Amino acid sequence: MLDWIGETRRGNVGCIGFSGGALIGLLLAATDERIKATVLSGFASLMRDSILASRHCLDNYIPGLLAIGETPQLLELVKPRALFIESGSDDHLFPSESVKHALHESKWGEAHFFAGGHQVNGTKAIPWLLNELGKEQQQRGTV
């Protein structure tokens, strides 16, 4: 599927994911350099403050993932490609203070912290994603 999307988009592929989907988006971006820009929403806190701190559905848990690294190390795997994280100030599953800590420790990515809970906001993330993908097209001379 990603081969087909990359071909139809002339190599200009981004991804956006929310909550467990953001984990999948992060893992996809970390392992496939065809993903040029990634948005993670309602996710990027430290695992100790989210997945391991309360009961979560199983789609947010990957056995042995912490042996590879905590969230900051996983975020670093996306470098040097574009990364944007959005987080609600009242997200009870992935606390925004922990997201800020992960971003600071990883030294990678832009962010939008908004008033809200465990939800997608998109007001800054979606324009950012479209802009990043537009830059990629311009650099490739395909606009």
Side-chain angles (χ1 to χ4, degrees):
M1 179 70 143
L2 192 53
D3 290 337
W4 177 79
I5 292 170
E7 186 177 303
T8 60
R9 298 282 301 152
R10 299 185 189 136
N12 190 26
V13 181
C15 70
I16 185 168
F18 170 68
S19 196
L23 172 61
I24 292 168
L26 173 59
L27 296 174
L28 176 63
T31 58
D32 196 322
E33 293 183 2
R34 293 176 293 181
I35 304 298
K36 304 301 182 190
T38 302
V39 173
L40 307 177
S41 181
F43 171 68
S45 64
L46 297 172
M47 289 180 222
R48 70 170 187 231
D49 298 330
S50 56
I51 302 299
L52 301 177
S54 63
R55 295 181 67 94
H56 274 264
C57 49
L58 291 177
D59 66 345
N60 286 313
Y61 180 72
I62 298 175
L65 186 59
L66 278 173
I68 297 168
E70 231 312 354
T71 303
Q73 291 74 42
L74 299 175
L75 296 175
E76 289 174 5
L77 295 173
V78 177
K79 285 181 183 175
R81 289 161 291 123
L83 176 66
F84 190 95
I85 295 168
E86 67 171 14
S87 176
S89 58
D90 297 320
D91 190 334
H92 65 288
L93 295 174
F94 295 90
S96 63
E97 286 305 313
S98 184
V99 173
K100 290 175 186 175
H101 180 83
L103 274 169
H104 176 74
E105 191 176 317
S106 72
K107 298 179 181 76
W108 190 247
E110 298 178 48
H112 175 218
F113 296 93
F114 60 90
H118 187 64
Q119 65 194 68
V120 174
N121 178 277
T123 58
K124 295 191 181 198
I126 293 170
W128 176 91
L129 181 62
L130 295 172
N131 183 59
E132 288 297 321
L133 295 176
K135 284 185 208 175
E136 179 66 23
Q137 278 187 324
Q138 289 173 354
Q139 290 171 352
R140 295 172 64 88
T142 57
V143 174

